[in-house]
Amino acid sequence: MINRILDNLKAISTHQGFRRYFTNTSWLFAEKVLRMVVGLFVGVWVARYLGPEQFGLLSYAQSFVALFTAFATLGLDGIVVRELVKDESRREELLGTAFWLKVIGSVAVLLILAVAVNFTSNDKYTNMLVFIIASATIFQSFNVIDMYFQAKVLGKYIAFANSLALFLGSSVKVALILNHAPLEAFALAVVFDGFILAIGYVYFYGLSLRAKRSNLHSDIQNAKFSIIPLKFKRQTAVSLLKDSWPLILSGIVIMIYMRIDQVMIKEMLGAEAVGQYAAAVRISEAVFFLFPVMINSMAPAFYNSLKIDNKTISEKRIKIFYSTIFYLCLIWSIFIFIISDKLILLLYGHKFSESISIFKVHVFSNILAFIGGVTNLWYLANGYSNLTFYRTLQGAILNIILNCILINKLGTIGAAIATVLSYFHVAVITMFLSKKTRKNGNLFILSLIYPFKVITFKES
């Protein structure tokens, strides 16, 4: 039996399709690890240099802009990738049309922000930071090239472009710190990041096309530069937007769900409070960076479990997924909670000591976020993607209500509690609000009640 398993593994590892996708995933994974390490180091250094108040203003400006970025991305990414996979002959038409739609969307973001800032308590300096950072959305139009690379399973070019932007962007931020630059320079650094990433995408796009023509995918040194095609087709634009409008709404809801807390803290408590909160959240999310990768890698096996005819085996495997994610997250959260005081002080220093209590609460929201990630797989596999939007909408509304109540009473810790409670509603409570998803909720509960029985399950 062991020999048979080894033979199967050998056959899989030598399969051309497997090796292609494995290599693609490896490039993307390596880039994410590099981004986490370098981004965390430089991000912490920037926070220490700016201090809570200025770091809070920068974080607020980024969060405020993020609320409207769905109008710039237009939910086109997955749709364009899908169409490119279907018919590569439409490459120039699809990429050119998506590019100009994103440019129009970026201009729309600036116009919307010009109106939105009038409903805030921002001074002119804060609004200047907002518009500087918002101008970076123009360069997101070049992310259409990322869609092409995704469709063609060319993850190495995505990794190259992002690594180039990460290296140059981080170098600029370090130089700004060493030269005692003002806050607005760091806002301009956000724009520079977007510009360099756009240049990187265009450059590697040209290289990939040249390598494709000469069948030299593995050797791109002699490839020629080629600019992205800028063809726009109205009929294609209408077709893309018909498919993407639900994703635009979903993107708006998700951004409100994820970023509204920092905007509300600024309005209710001030910039310094945002700095303390943002510092805690960034570390809370960073220390769990491996779990999204784990969930994505488990997705195919999760989908296959739902295809098993034997209902008992299928349900037990689903419970294994839930149990594994929940208890690994729980154990890791408890460990991070225990060392949280030393971790925050080591990274940020005593100026950010208020972040410790925020961090201790917020760190447990990650458990619920990743349970929600596994639940999303179940929703998508069963054709309930529309319910995913409604559960996120509920979470966003609940988060706003809880923030209004808890920030007034408890300050920034109240915002962290609001995050945990809204995540709990989305990840757990919503499973029991519909007859269609109640079965999934029961499987989740059972996976927690009988963890050892589930984990040690053996198929008969």
Side-chain angles (χ1 to χ4, degrees):
M1 183 176 179
I2 294 177
N3 290 332
R4 187 188 303 171
I5 294 174
L6 293 175
D7 290 339
N8 288 336
L9 289 175
K10 184 177 179 180
I12 292 172
S13 63
T14 56
H15 188 273
Q16 186 177 0
F18 171 81
R19 294 180 65 179
R20 184 186 182 195
Y21 284 99
F22 178 78
T23 302
N24 185 72
T25 302
S26 298
W27 278 109
L28 296 176
F29 178 75
E31 187 270 326
K32 287 185 182 296
V33 173
L34 179 65
R35 177 171 297 278
M36 191 282 297
V37 175
V38 176
L40 179 62
F41 173 76
V42 176
V44 167
W45 197 357
V46 168
R48 289 178 70 109
Y49 168 75
L50 293 176
E53 184 173 1
Q54 287 197 319
F55 182 64
L57 277 177
L58 183 64
S59 298
Y60 164 78
Q62 290 175 306
S63 295
F64 192 77
V65 171
L67 295 179
F68 305 95
T69 52
F71 293 106
T73 59
L74 295 173
L76 292 172
D77 295 25
I79 294 170
V80 173
V81 171
R82 181 194 68 194
E83 295 302 315
L84 284 169
V85 171
K86 285 182 180 179
D87 185 3
E88 192 194 346
S89 65
R90 299 177 61 205
R91 171 176 54 84
E92 293 191 4
E93 168 196 329
L94 288 167
L95 295 184
T97 302
F99 174 83
W100 286 114
L101 285 175
K102 282 175 172 281
V103 169
I104 295 170
S106 300
V107 174
V109 168
L110 295 174
L111 296 176
I112 293 170
L113 283 171
V115 176
V117 293
N118 294 308
F119 296 92
T120 68
S121 60
N122 296 346
D123 55 24
K124 291 183 179 180
Y125 184 76
T126 303
N127 285 338
M128 179 190 70
L129 294 177
V130 168
F131 282 100
I132 289 175
I133 292 172
S135 64
T137 59
I138 296 291
F139 298 113
Q140 289 184 11
S141 305
F142 290 89
N143 285 7
V144 296
I145 299 174
D146 185 295
M147 304 174 200
Y148 171 75
F149 289 148
Q150 289 182 52
K152 301 305 295 178
V153 198
L154 295 173
K156 66 178 180 180
Y157 294 123
I158 299 175
F160 290 160
N162 280 280
S163 297
L164 174 66
L166 176 65
F167 174 75
L168 294 179
S170 298
S171 298
V172 167
K173 291 182 181 70
V174 170
L176 292 176
I177 294 172
L178 296 178
N179 287 278
H180 308 288
L183 176 59
E184 56 267 29
F186 290 91
L188 288 170
V190 175
V191 182
F192 178 77
D193 289 344
F195 172 73
I196 292 299
L197 183 58
I199 294 296
Y201 275 141
V202 172
Y203 180 71
F204 288 111
Y205 176 73
L207 293 178
S208 69
L209 291 183
R210 175 59 179 168
K212 179 182 177 182
R213 295 190 191 103
S214 57
N215 289 323
L216 292 174
H217 284 289
S218 60
D219 183 9
I220 61 174
Q221 294 182 352
N222 298 320
K224 294 181 180 180
F225 177 83
S226 176
I227 192 66
I228 178 176
L230 300 178
K231 182 189 296 185
F232 181 86
K233 191 171 181 180
R234 181 178 178 182
Q235 184 179 356
T236 301
V238 173
S239 176
L240 291 174
L241 291 175
K242 280 184 178 179
D243 284 346
S244 71
W245 73 264
L247 298 177
I248 298 174
L249 293 178
S250 179
I252 295 171
V253 170
I254 289 172
M255 283 297 103
I256 292 174
Y257 184 38
M258 300 295 293
R259 296 300 190 100
I260 196 65
D261 46 5
Q262 295 188 37
V263 174
M264 294 181 71
I265 290 172
K266 163 66 168 55
E267 291 296 322
M268 299 169 74
L269 301 177
E272 184 173 350
V274 179
Q276 298 285 354
Y277 185 82
V281 169
R282 292 195 180 190
I283 299 301
S284 174
E285 294 173 348
V287 295
F288 282 85
F289 82 100
L290 278 177
F291 284 90
V293 177
M294 183 187 304
I295 292 173
N296 289 334
S297 64
M298 290 168 61
F302 186 90
Y303 293 140
N304 287 332
S305 296
L306 294 173
K307 295 178 182 179
I308 297 175
D309 292 332
N310 189 315
K311 182 179 178 181
T312 302
I313 294 177
S314 176
E315 291 183 352
K316 286 188 176 181
R317 286 190 176 182
I318 293 172
K319 287 187 283 187
I320 288 175
F321 284 109
Y322 275 126
S323 188
T324 301
I325 293 297
F326 178 83
Y327 284 105
L328 284 178
C329 282
L330 179 62
I331 292 169
W332 184 242
S333 296
I334 293 172
F335 171 73
I336 295 298
F337 177 85
I338 292 172
I339 66 169
S340 57
D341 297 67
K342 294 181 179 179
L343 181 64
I344 295 296
L345 293 177
L346 173 66
L347 293 174
Y348 288 116
H350 290 279
K351 288 183 179 180
F352 287 88
S353 58
E354 292 179 27
S355 297
I356 296 174
S357 55
I358 302 168
F359 180 78
K360 286 182 175 180
V361 176
H362 193 277
V363 73
F364 289 100
S365 69
N366 290 289
I367 302 174
L368 299 164
F370 297 128
I371 289 299
V374 179
T375 302
N376 278 340
L377 297 179
W378 190 91
Y379 276 54
L380 293 174
N382 287 278
Y384 299 146
S385 56
N386 60 320
L387 295 180
T388 301
F389 168 75
Y390 291 116
R391 67 202 287 258
T392 307
L393 178 62
Q394 290 177 41
I397 295 172
L398 181 61
N399 198 19
I400 293 173
I401 294 172
L402 290 174
N403 274 317
C404 288
I405 298 171
L406 296 177
I407 291 176
N408 273 324
K409 291 186 176 182
L410 303 174
T412 50
I413 296 178
I417 294 173
T419 298
V420 173
L421 292 177
S422 60
Y423 279 24
F424 178 77
H425 176 82
V426 171
V428 180
I429 299 299
T430 54
M431 287 193 283
F432 297 95
L433 297 181
S434 171
K435 291 182 179 179
K436 295 179 180 179
T437 59
R438 205 161 292 157
K439 175 184 175 182
N440 184 47
N442 292 333
L443 290 174
F444 169 68
I445 297 300
L446 288 173
S447 73
L448 306 184
I449 296 174
Y450 305 107
F452 299 105
K453 181 178 179 181
V454 170
I455 293 174
T456 60
F457 167 71
K458 296 182 180 180
E459 294 181 18
S460 55

